[in-house]
Amino acid sequence: LYPDPDFDLNKFNECVAERRAVLDHQNKDIAEALDLLREYWSLCHQTVTDERRALAFARAAAAVKCLPFKVTNPRQLKGIKDLGDGHALRVATQIVESGHSQEVEEKRNDKKFLSFQIFCKVFGVGPSIAKKWYAMGLRTAEDVKKRFDQLDVSKDNMISYGVAFYDDLNRPLQLVEAENTYKHITALAQRILPSVVTSMNGGFRRGKSSGHDLDVLFSYPEREHNEHGLIAAVRDELDKKGLVVWSRYSRADGPRGVEIDSSPLPAGSAKDHLLVIMIILKYPLDGHFDQLERRDFSTEKNLGLFQLADSARPWRAIRVDLVGSTTTQYPYAQIGWTGNKQYNRCLRQYAKDAFNYSLSSTGLYDKRQHRWLPAQTERDVFDHLKLSYREPWERNF
Ligand code: GTP
Ligand code: MN
Ligand code: MN
């Protein structure tokens, strides 16, 4: 039945977290169809059932991406856990048999879905705002721009920037652009805190050659982290250079240094120390940050100016996530911020089901023994979970 004689359906079904999915997998048509239905239900959902539907399609798509052979016969789809025996299996079967699914094509061209897709491509907009805009009669990105004043969005809101920089932010960020920005940010952080460790996470670490943003993870010892507030310092430095268009900094209030000293396992307070900052950087098109036009962004009233400036500008806006983690959290933060999202969902579910562990990007907590499991590397995390190690590029669920 299977072209791959080593393929063992029982083993494939036994543990989803053991599967590997490379970007260049063998069932792109089926996965694309199932991912479209996932996107449809996650954007256009009305009820909790619809949301569950989206998750079911996400699992089904992931399963197909993990198959180590190209499906040529619908019988090869039978019995695959996560593909189920209903909707997803039916669609996958249609694609294998005829390369076409009526339902997928109808949804793909669904007017409401198309508008929701456009709206959700505005930075800061999710399904609930999309729904509101749709109900107001908006349909296109042009409508949003034209009727922005009626949308009840304050000028300093991230959505204002999302609209103003719609084209920039929907232009894929290329690997080389991400790498240049990453190096620049790393050098800057090292000047502030020489012991800092950084990594470029997200899709690029999984092997993608372009993406919607750059995800930079920082790691530093607990104490230094508290003294420096490194992410804020990095943001301020970037701001000084006139590179920040918009940023939102959040920092959970955790125990102060003194208290941390008395806490033997800092990972226990892990969650409190996660720093997340989202930055839109002006990305210099020529690759040289110091040749940038300087601008004062401390007041956001220049919005209209941004909107107009879409020709012959020396820079464009890109999305950057800067994430801080302490040394003890680092391997967990790496897994969490490497993604992809569905892979992490699956890992977290497995940790809960198999061991009653709670896995997050700040640590792994054993709920029975009431303790945090320490890890030096990502491999340690896989060991804790009794899973084979998976390379980042095998995590493209
Ligand atoms: P592109 O950016 O589109 O190329 O894909 P990506 O996989 O890099 O997506 P994204 O940058 O959105 O997320 C990267 C990883 O970080 C994913 O695994 C997300 O689940 C995770 N992530 C994103 N936002 C958050 C967040 O607010 N908190 C945590 N803990 N994880 C997040
Ligand atoms: Mn990313
Ligand atoms: Mn991101």
Side-chain angles (χ1 to χ4, degrees):
L1 179 58
Y2 307 111
D4 180 348
D6 292 335
F7 181 71
D8 178 342
L9 182 64
N10 288 329
K11 214 171 138 200
F12 187 80
N13 281 341
E14 202 174 82
C15 181
V16 180
E18 276 286 344
R19 295 177 188 166
R20 43 182 116 216
V22 293
L23 277 174
D24 202 15
H25 67 85
Q26 308 199 52
N27 296 289
K28 303 237 169 89
D29 298 356
I30 311 174
E32 194 273 339
L34 296 171
D35 269 329
L36 186 121
L37 296 179
R38 170 194 55 76
E39 192 188 2
Y40 179 89
W41 290 112
S42 76
L43 298 190
C44 302
H45 70 264
Q46 304 279 343
T47 63
V48 188
T49 313
D50 292 345
E51 283 176 64
R52 267 193 231 121
R53 224 174 241 160
L55 288 173
F57 279 116
R59 279 195 303 272
V64 162
K65 293 171 196 171
C66 294
L67 288 172
F69 57 88
K70 184 169 172 61
V71 177
T72 51
N73 179 340
R75 279 172 54 224
Q76 294 162 340
L77 296 167
K78 281 242 173 73
I80 293 174
K81 201 173 105 186
D82 290 333
L83 207 49
D85 52 8
H87 205 156
L89 179 66
R90 192 165 69 238
V91 171
T93 301
Q94 287 165 354
I95 301 286
V96 176
E97 281 174 344
S98 66
H100 181 89
S101 157
Q102 183 78 14
E103 184 194 348
V104 172
E105 292 320 304
E106 277 170 13
K107 294 235 165 28
R108 194 194 303 282
N109 297 307
D110 182 281
K111 292 258 159 47
K112 182 176 165 191
F113 176 53
L114 289 169
S115 290
F116 272 53
Q117 274 182 316
I118 292 167
F119 298 160
C120 290
K121 273 161 58 181
V122 175
F123 172 57
V125 172
S128 61
I129 290 171
K131 194 174 165 182
K132 209 172 95 187
W133 288 359
Y134 192 81
M136 290 170 70
L138 274 65
R139 295 293 179 267
T140 63
E142 285 310 303
D143 291 347
V144 174
K145 284 178 190 171
K146 253 187 278 168
R147 292 180 52 190
F148 189 74
D149 289 344
Q150 294 158 254
L151 295 181
D152 198 27
V153 177
S154 71
K155 294 242 190 302
D156 59 351
N157 187 288
M158 64 202 286
I159 296 173
S160 295
Y161 291 85
V163 172
F165 292 97
Y166 186 83
D167 297 332
D168 273 10
L169 299 178
N170 283 294
R171 193 165 123 195
L173 180 67
Q174 300 303 323
L175 178 60
V176 55
E177 298 170 328
E179 274 171 343
N180 286 339
T181 311
Y182 166 71
K183 280 180 203 152
H184 180 89
I185 291 174
T186 296
L188 210 141
Q190 282 169 343
R191 279 202 293 278
I192 301 168
L193 183 66
S195 66
V196 71
V197 173
T198 68
S199 61
M200 185 162 80
N201 282 44
F204 292 113
R205 187 161 181 251
R206 300 196 310 275
K208 284 173 67 177
S209 55
S210 69
H212 100 286
D213 71 352
L214 162 66
D215 304 284
V216 187
L217 181 60
F218 298 75
S219 164
Y220 26 74
E222 201 90 12
R223 183 179 311 203
E224 292 174 20
H225 152 81
N226 273 292
E227 278 168 11
H228 291 268
L230 184 70
I231 301 286
V234 170
R235 189 267 320 267
D236 290 346
E237 280 303 305
L238 290 166
D239 204 15
K240 264 189 231 158
K241 290 166 178 262
L243 295 173
V244 177
V245 179
W246 176 93
S247 95
R248 186 171 72 189
Y249 174 78
S250 69
R251 177 180 180 147
D253 283 329
R256 303 218 166 264
V258 186
E259 294 168 60
I260 286 162
D261 283 343
S262 63
S263 154
L265 236 191
S269 54
K271 205 169 187 166
D272 300 324
H273 292 278
L274 189 77
L275 296 166
V276 180
I277 175 174
M278 295 189 298
I279 286 189
I280 301 179
L281 283 181
K282 293 189 273 172
Y283 185 81
L285 294 177
D286 61 4
H288 295 289
F289 279 85
D290 40 8
Q291 288 178 10
L292 285 185
E293 171 192 13
R294 286 184 71 93
R295 242 175 231 263
D296 182 1
F297 287 97
S298 59
T299 56
E300 279 92 10
K301 62 188 173 213
N302 291 330
L303 185 69
L305 218 86
F306 295 146
Q307 282 176 310
L308 289 171
D310 63 355
S311 63
R313 285 181 308 166
W315 55 269
R316 72 174 163 114
I318 61 165
R319 280 269 298 112
V320 179
D321 287 339
L322 304 180
V323 183
S325 69
T326 60
T327 311
T328 46
Q329 298 164 347
Y330 189 51
Y332 294 103
Q334 273 202 301
I335 291 175
W337 286 88
T338 294
N340 65 8
K341 199 170 173 182
Q342 182 60 22
Y343 179 77
N344 273 282
R345 256 190 214 130
C346 151
L347 269 191
R348 288 166 194 203
Q349 189 67 47
Y350 163 82
K352 181 167 178 283
D353 294 346
F355 305 103
N356 200 19
Y357 288 168
S358 166
L359 174 67
S360 73
S361 11
T362 57
L364 183 62
Y365 187 71
D366 181 340
K367 289 193 264 188
R368 268 188 286 253
Q369 308 224 358
H370 303 288
R371 67 184 195 107
W372 293 87
L373 303 176
Q376 308 270 324
T377 63
E378 284 177 301
R379 277 179 197 276
D380 292 344
V381 180
F382 284 82
D383 286 346
H384 283 315
L385 296 171
K386 306 218 178 339
L387 290 172
S388 320
Y389 178 69
R390 291 291 172 253
E391 297 288 353
W393 53 91
E394 298 172 321
R395 305 178 197 166
N396 288 289
F397 272 34

